Amino acid sequence: MAVTEPTVSADAPPWKTGGGLPPARQGSFGEGAAAHGAEGILRRQSSRESAARTYARSLPIVPVRARGLTIEGADGRRYLDCLSGAGTLALGHNHPVVLEAIREVLDSGAPLHVLDLATPVKDAFTTELFATLPKVLADRGRVQFCGPAGTDAVEAALKLVRTATGRSGMLAFTGAYHGMTAGALEASGGAQDVRVTRLPFPQDYRCPFGTGGERGAELAARWTESLLDDPKSGVPLPAGMIVEPVQGEGGVLPAPDGWLRRMRDLTAERGIPLIADEVQTGVGRTGAFWAVEHSGVVPDVMVLSKAIGGSLPLAVLVYRDDLDVWEPGAHAGTFRGNQLAMAAGAATLAYVRENQLADRAASLGERMLAQLAELARSYPCVGDVRGRGLMIGVEFVDPEAGDGAAGAVRAGASGGGGVSAEGGAGAGTGGPLPAAPGLAAAVQRACLERGLIVELGGRHSSVVRLLPPLTLTDEQAVAVMDRLADAVGSVRSGHRSGGTAAPPVRIDLGSARTTGGAATGAVR
């Protein structure tokens, strides 16, 4: 289905800019692509590209133009993009301040490729980056420009702490995702052959200890402390600990604030550098400029990528100066001096900071989570709703495996700051219901049919993920949630073996309630 994006008034506040699409131009890429046919482009992609491609399989569209929240396909259909380049597009597609920063560099005649040489563009980016960092880290910080992907920055972080400490082992967490290169994969949840010790990551809905809440977080911390201090644990003192303040690919699991502070204390007391992977959580995404700021934790190393490049490839490390033991060339990359990305990144960092978009993400995300909890009450197949800021996950479960009774909605007891909703998952079953990846995939397809792009994640790809741009307006948020609710209702009705389907739920951000009736997204 084609979608008309909600309009934005001329006097809208800063977070409402970047919406809508510019008029088509004669000879634009969009017209050329349409002339060749979207189906042909997709067919050629399938025959030419690697079997490793991912998003193209579940999102068979051919984007030709984009602005803000909206993508237009070669077939003329428009979609609301809540994938945002896996969180890369903090300001949405082609935001004016980003385009202006890129044009300024292009028009100036400045070199585009300079390896690691100093340039005014690089200096401006570094200055803006340090202005956003936790003060304790900024005052003693060093920045390392890495290859253009987050996974290379993770590799650099692991190499750095191993070099600085003279130790080799690493601590990481179940459910983690740190990238696709060898070292980053070792620290990620799906690794098989590793030098990394796995620790339990606390979560409420599928707590590894069966308790959830503060008790579950306390047990996870005790496990870590015991492993580090037990001389018979088989785990020597490691070179570092790497943690995501919110696990994204792991299923949108916010680390409890108290637990993260405990990890900071445990590592500091034992001389273990703490690495915070802020590749996806950074630049206002979770309702703070950096997700570690929710807990007040200052890590020794921060891994940054995605949004810091303003939609272009860029990845850096920021770390404490006493860890700066690199020999010249110890970690290098041909494309670590991406001038266009630094210009776009500096503009993005400044715009998010000056317009308080992190605060905006916090308030809007809280309302969206509360309303999605209402959706969970209406549909037992929604097992849990959780997240922080505009990093949101909806976990789908098999309600036929339990009694299907709706459970209670509760605030995130672990201190993660999100909302957790048990839509029948724990009611009468003694625990959460089995994950339903097929149902989640069907919801993703139904969303696409309604002009909404979402991603899947979680242990069994059973979590529908929302990563909208921080410029999302209230009106756009309602449209997104209405389409999601309509998709869930449609899929759930199709999965029922009998009985009457629940009426579609309309999400109302303003009144914090749901009403029966058709979803009201602007679908045509």
Side-chain angles (χ1 to χ4, degrees):
M1 295 182 181
V3 175
T4 301
E5 184 181 9
T7 58
V8 179
S9 64
D11 57 348
W15 57 79
K16 292 193 175 185
T17 60
L21 286 168
R25 298 189 306 273
Q26 184 67 31
S28 69
F29 289 113
E31 291 173 330
H36 286 86
E39 291 184 5
I41 293 173
L42 291 171
R43 186 168 57 251
R44 286 188 290 278
Q45 180 191 39
S46 179
S47 66
R48 294 168 176 170
E49 290 190 22
S50 164
R53 66 190 186 281
T54 54
Y55 299 107
R57 296 180 184 275
S58 57
L59 301 171
I61 62 175
V62 180
V64 294
R65 292 192 303 149
R67 177 64 64 88
L69 181 66
T70 302
I71 286 178
E72 182 177 315
D75 57 2
R77 296 179 179 180
R78 292 186 179 186
Y79 304 87
L80 305 184
D81 181 13
C82 282
L83 175 57
S84 299
T88 298
L89 304 172
L91 304 183
H93 294 274
N94 293 324
H95 194 281
V97 301
V98 172
L99 297 183
E100 178 60 28
I102 293 171
R103 289 192 188 102
E104 185 175 339
V105 175
L106 291 174
D107 293 343
S108 72
L112 300 182
H113 189 289
V114 293
L115 297 171
D116 63 355
L117 300 181
T119 70
V121 173
K122 185 178 189 179
D123 183 65
F125 170 81
T126 304
T127 300
E128 183 59 44
L129 174 63
F130 272 67
T132 71
L133 294 172
K135 188 176 186 306
V136 174
L137 183 59
D139 287 346
R140 296 188 55 190
R142 295 288 185 272
V143 61
Q144 164 78 28
F145 289 86
C146 305
T151 189
D152 186 65
V154 170
E155 295 283 352
L158 302 181
K159 188 192 299 185
L160 174 69
V161 296
R162 283 171 170 148
T163 302
T165 64
R167 305 188 290 262
S168 62
M170 291 295 303
L171 300 177
F173 293 90
T174 55
Y177 177 76
H178 299 292
M180 295 299 290
T181 51
L185 276 175
E186 279 192 345
S188 298
Q192 302 296 320
D193 183 19
V194 300
R195 293 180 294 164
V196 176
T197 299
R198 287 293 181 284
L199 301 171
F201 190 91
Q203 54 174 306
D204 285 346
Y205 189 63
R206 298 188 185 277
C207 175
F209 304 103
T211 61
E214 293 181 2
R215 179 60 175 165
E218 172 62 21
L219 291 172
R222 286 189 185 183
W223 178 291
T224 301
E225 184 174 15
S226 174
L227 182 141
L228 289 172
D229 292 345
D230 182 355
K232 297 294 185 180
S233 68
V235 178
L237 191 67
M241 172 189 285
I242 184 167
V243 62
E244 299 160 277
V246 181
Q247 287 192 347
E249 295 297 325
V252 192
L253 301 171
D257 292 339
W259 173 85
L260 194 56
R261 287 191 287 269
R262 184 82 172 272
M263 293 302 101
R264 172 69 286 187
D265 291 343
L266 290 175
T267 53
E269 290 165 0
R270 292 158 181 80
I272 303 169
L274 178 64
I275 304 168
D277 183 341
E278 290 257 20
V279 167
Q280 191 168 83
T281 55
V283 194
R285 169 63 55 190
T286 69
F289 208 100
W290 306 107
V292 292
E293 293 177 317
H294 291 292
S295 62
V297 162
V298 179
D300 303 299
V301 182
M302 289 177 66
V303 183
L304 313 176
S305 188
K306 292 192 185 295
I308 67 160
S311 76
L312 298 180
L314 188 65
V316 304
L317 285 186
V318 178
Y319 52 87
R320 232 179 42 233
D321 55 4
D322 59 306
L323 296 173
D324 194 26
V325 296
W326 292 121
E327 294 292 331
H331 193 86
T334 301
F335 294 102
R336 64 192 185 276
N338 189 335
Q339 297 294 283
L340 293 181
M342 291 178 190
T348 297
L349 293 171
Y351 192 88
V352 171
R353 176 178 55 80
E354 292 168 359
N355 293 287
Q356 301 178 324
L357 293 191
D359 293 341
R360 166 70 179 169
S363 61
L364 181 56
E366 184 177 357
R367 284 183 282 150
M368 291 175 70
L369 282 165
Q371 292 310 302
L372 288 170
E374 296 291 339
L375 184 71
R377 289 192 179 99
S378 298
Y379 295 107
C381 63
V382 179
D384 195 32
V385 172
R386 54 186 179 254
R388 202 156 203 175
L390 291 177
M391 191 171 181
I392 296 171
V394 181
E395 180 168 350
F396 287 88
V397 297
D398 179 8
E400 307 302 328
D403 60 15
V409 178
R410 53 188 171 82
S414 63
V419 171
S420 179
E422 295 178 341
T429 65
L433 293 173
L439 188 62
V443 169
Q444 184 189 39
R445 289 191 297 271
C447 284
L448 192 64
E449 292 170 359
R450 288 156 176 78
L452 176 63
I453 296 174
V454 296
E455 169 63 327
L456 298 182
R459 300 299 205 277
H460 304 284
S461 295
S462 61
V463 178
V464 168
R465 301 185 59 199
L466 299 175
L467 291 164
L470 309 187
T471 51
L472 188 72
T473 68
D474 286 354
E475 184 184 9
Q476 290 169 342
V478 170
V480 166
M481 302 247 283
D482 281 350
R483 289 165 199 180
L484 176 59
D486 191 51
V488 173
S490 174
V491 170
R492 184 63 190 127
S493 296
H495 276 66
R496 288 177 182 270
S497 58
T500 304
V505 176
R506 185 181 187 279
I507 301 295
D508 185 344
L509 286 173
S511 61
R513 59 182 172 81
T514 57
T515 57
T520 60
V523 181
R524 56 177 174 82

mmCIF file of all heavy atoms in Angstrom, residues 37-53:
data_model
loop_
_atom_site.group_PDB
_atom_site.id
_atom_site.type_symbol
_atom_site.label_atom_id
_atom_site.label_comp_id
_atom_site.label_asym_id
_atom_site.label_seq_id
_atom_site.Cartn_x
_atom_site.Cartn_y
_atom_site.Cartn_z
ATOM 1 N N GLY A 37 11.866 -0.278 -14.018
ATOM 2 C CA GLY A 37 10.996 -1.221 -13.344
ATOM 3 C C GLY A 37 11.593 -1.764 -12.067
ATOM 4 O O GLY A 37 12.699 -2.308 -12.055
ATOM 5 N N ALA A 38 10.853 -1.579 -10.972
ATOM 6 C CA ALA A 38 11.332 -2.050 -9.675
ATOM 7 C C ALA A 38 11.523 -3.561 -9.664
ATOM 8 O O ALA A 38 12.484 -4.074 -9.084
ATOM 9 C CB ALA A 38 10.353 -1.625 -8.586
ATOM 10 N N GLU A 39 10.616 -4.278 -10.304
ATOM 11 C CA GLU A 39 10.722 -5.739 -10.291
ATOM 12 C C GLU A 39 12.009 -6.206 -10.962
ATOM 13 O O GLU A 39 12.668 -7.140 -10.498
ATOM 14 C CB GLU A 39 9.503 -6.358 -10.970
ATOM 15 C CG GLU A 39 8.210 -6.179 -10.181
ATOM 16 C CD GLU A 39 7.042 -6.897 -10.835
ATOM 17 O OE1 GLU A 39 7.263 -7.597 -11.846
ATOM 18 O OE2 GLU A 39 5.915 -6.760 -10.323
ATOM 19 N N GLY A 40 12.380 -5.544 -12.060
ATOM 20 C CA GLY A 40 13.616 -5.914 -12.732
ATOM 21 C C GLY A 40 14.835 -5.639 -11.881
ATOM 22 O O GLY A 40 15.785 -6.431 -11.851
ATOM 23 N N ILE A 41 14.830 -4.509 -11.173
ATOM 24 C CA ILE A 41 15.956 -4.175 -10.295
ATOM 25 C C ILE A 41 16.088 -5.212 -9.185
ATOM 26 O O ILE A 41 17.186 -5.685 -8.873
ATOM 27 C CB ILE A 41 15.761 -2.767 -9.716
ATOM 28 C CG1 ILE A 41 15.866 -1.719 -10.828
ATOM 29 C CG2 ILE A 41 16.788 -2.482 -8.623
ATOM 30 C CD1 ILE A 41 15.519 -0.322 -10.389
ATOM 31 N N LEU A 42 14.968 -5.580 -8.593
ATOM 32 C CA LEU A 42 15.011 -6.588 -7.529
ATOM 33 C C LEU A 42 15.463 -7.937 -8.064
ATOM 34 O O LEU A 42 16.210 -8.671 -7.399
ATOM 35 C CB LEU A 42 13.622 -6.710 -6.884
ATOM 36 C CG LEU A 42 13.165 -5.503 -6.056
ATOM 37 C CD1 LEU A 42 11.699 -5.648 -5.667
ATOM 38 C CD2 LEU A 42 14.030 -5.340 -4.809
ATOM 39 N N ARG A 43 15.025 -8.273 -9.252
ATOM 40 C CA ARG A 43 15.412 -9.551 -9.860
ATOM 41 C C ARG A 43 16.917 -9.584 -10.132
ATOM 42 O O ARG A 43 17.596 -10.578 -9.851
ATOM 43 C CB ARG A 43 14.619 -9.778 -11.141
ATOM 44 C CG ARG A 43 14.838 -11.146 -11.786
ATOM 45 C CD ARG A 43 13.818 -11.422 -12.870
ATOM 46 N NE ARG A 43 13.841 -10.380 -13.909
ATOM 47 C CZ ARG A 43 12.878 -9.486 -14.066
ATOM 48 N NH1 ARG A 43 11.825 -9.472 -13.265
ATOM 49 N NH2 ARG A 43 12.954 -8.586 -15.041
ATOM 50 N N ARG A 44 17.451 -8.463 -10.641
ATOM 51 C CA ARG A 44 18.882 -8.414 -10.905
ATOM 52 C C ARG A 44 19.687 -8.428 -9.607
ATOM 53 O O ARG A 44 20.769 -9.024 -9.533
ATOM 54 C CB ARG A 44 19.213 -7.179 -11.745
ATOM 55 C CG ARG A 44 18.779 -7.314 -13.204
ATOM 56 C CD ARG A 44 19.287 -6.166 -14.058
ATOM 57 N NE ARG A 44 18.639 -4.903 -13.753
ATOM 58 C CZ ARG A 44 17.445 -4.537 -14.237
ATOM 59 N NH1 ARG A 44 16.784 -5.343 -15.050
ATOM 60 N NH2 ARG A 44 16.926 -3.360 -13.925
ATOM 61 N N GLN A 45 19.175 -7.767 -8.580
ATOM 62 C CA GLN A 45 19.863 -7.824 -7.291
ATOM 63 C C GLN A 45 19.954 -9.257 -6.802
ATOM 64 O O GLN A 45 21.011 -9.712 -6.350
ATOM 65 C CB GLN A 45 19.146 -6.974 -6.248
ATOM 66 C CG GLN A 45 19.837 -7.000 -4.892
ATOM 67 C CD GLN A 45 19.020 -6.381 -3.778
ATOM 68 O OE1 GLN A 45 17.803 -6.549 -3.726
ATOM 69 N NE2 GLN A 45 19.677 -5.663 -2.881
ATOM 70 N N SER A 46 18.859 -9.977 -6.899
ATOM 71 C CA SER A 46 18.834 -11.355 -6.422
ATOM 72 C C SER A 46 19.811 -12.244 -7.177
ATOM 73 O O SER A 46 20.440 -13.143 -6.602
ATOM 74 C CB SER A 46 17.408 -11.909 -6.552
ATOM 75 O OG SER A 46 17.350 -13.245 -6.130
ATOM 76 N N SER A 47 19.966 -11.988 -8.472
ATOM 77 C CA SER A 47 20.837 -12.846 -9.276
ATOM 78 C C SER A 47 22.304 -12.461 -9.176
ATOM 79 O O SER A 47 23.186 -13.288 -9.410
ATOM 80 C CB SER A 47 20.397 -12.808 -10.746
ATOM 81 O OG SER A 47 20.587 -11.515 -11.306
ATOM 82 N N ARG A 48 22.594 -11.198 -8.815
ATOM 83 C CA ARG A 48 23.975 -10.713 -8.815
ATOM 84 C C ARG A 48 24.610 -10.630 -7.443
ATOM 85 O O ARG A 48 25.824 -10.810 -7.297
ATOM 86 C CB ARG A 48 24.037 -9.314 -9.450
ATOM 87 C CG ARG A 48 23.690 -9.261 -10.924
ATOM 88 C CD ARG A 48 23.504 -7.811 -11.354
ATOM 89 N NE ARG A 48 23.258 -7.665 -12.790
ATOM 90 C CZ ARG A 48 22.878 -6.546 -13.365
ATOM 91 N NH1 ARG A 48 22.686 -5.458 -12.626
ATOM 92 N NH2 ARG A 48 22.679 -6.487 -14.666
ATOM 93 N N GLU A 49 23.831 -10.324 -6.420
ATOM 94 C CA GLU A 49 24.423 -10.051 -5.114
ATOM 95 C C GLU A 49 24.579 -11.307 -4.262
ATOM 96 O O GLU A 49 23.918 -12.324 -4.493
ATOM 97 C CB GLU A 49 23.573 -9.010 -4.365
ATOM 98 C CG GLU A 49 23.656 -7.624 -4.973
ATOM 99 C CD GLU A 49 23.022 -6.568 -4.087
ATOM 100 O OE1 GLU A 49 22.897 -6.799 -2.860
ATOM 101 O OE2 GLU A 49 22.639 -5.514 -4.614
ATOM 102 N N SER A 50 25.423 -11.170 -3.270
ATOM 103 C CA SER A 50 25.752 -12.283 -2.383
ATOM 104 C C SER A 50 24.531 -12.809 -1.645
ATOM 105 O O SER A 50 23.584 -12.068 -1.346
ATOM 106 C CB SER A 50 26.778 -11.809 -1.348
ATOM 107 O OG SER A 50 26.878 -12.697 -0.270
ATOM 108 N N ALA A 51 24.578 -14.102 -1.317
ATOM 109 C CA ALA A 51 23.527 -14.705 -0.502
ATOM 110 C C ALA A 51 23.542 -14.154 0.916
ATOM 111 O O ALA A 51 22.607 -14.394 1.696
ATOM 112 C CB ALA A 51 23.697 -16.225 -0.469
ATOM 113 N N ALA A 52 24.567 -13.374 1.272
ATOM 114 C CA ALA A 52 24.656 -12.796 2.617
ATOM 115 C C ALA A 52 23.744 -11.578 2.791
ATOM 116 O O ALA A 52 23.601 -11.093 3.904
ATOM 117 C CB ALA A 52 26.094 -12.389 2.926
ATOM 118 N N ARG A 53 23.117 -11.087 1.719
ATOM 119 C CA ARG A 53 22.258 -9.906 1.863
ATOM 120 C C ARG A 53 21.120 -10.228 2.835
ATOM 121 O O ARG A 53 20.635 -11.361 2.884
ATOM 122 C CB ARG A 53 21.720 -9.448 0.514
ATOM 123 C CG ARG A 53 20.765 -10.408 -0.146
ATOM 124 C CD ARG A 53 20.461 -10.008 -1.594
ATOM 125 N NE ARG A 53 19.439 -10.873 -2.155
ATOM 126 C CZ ARG A 53 19.656 -12.100 -2.616
ATOM 127 N NH1 ARG A 53 20.877 -12.607 -2.601
ATOM 128 N NH2 ARG A 53 18.657 -12.814 -3.103
#
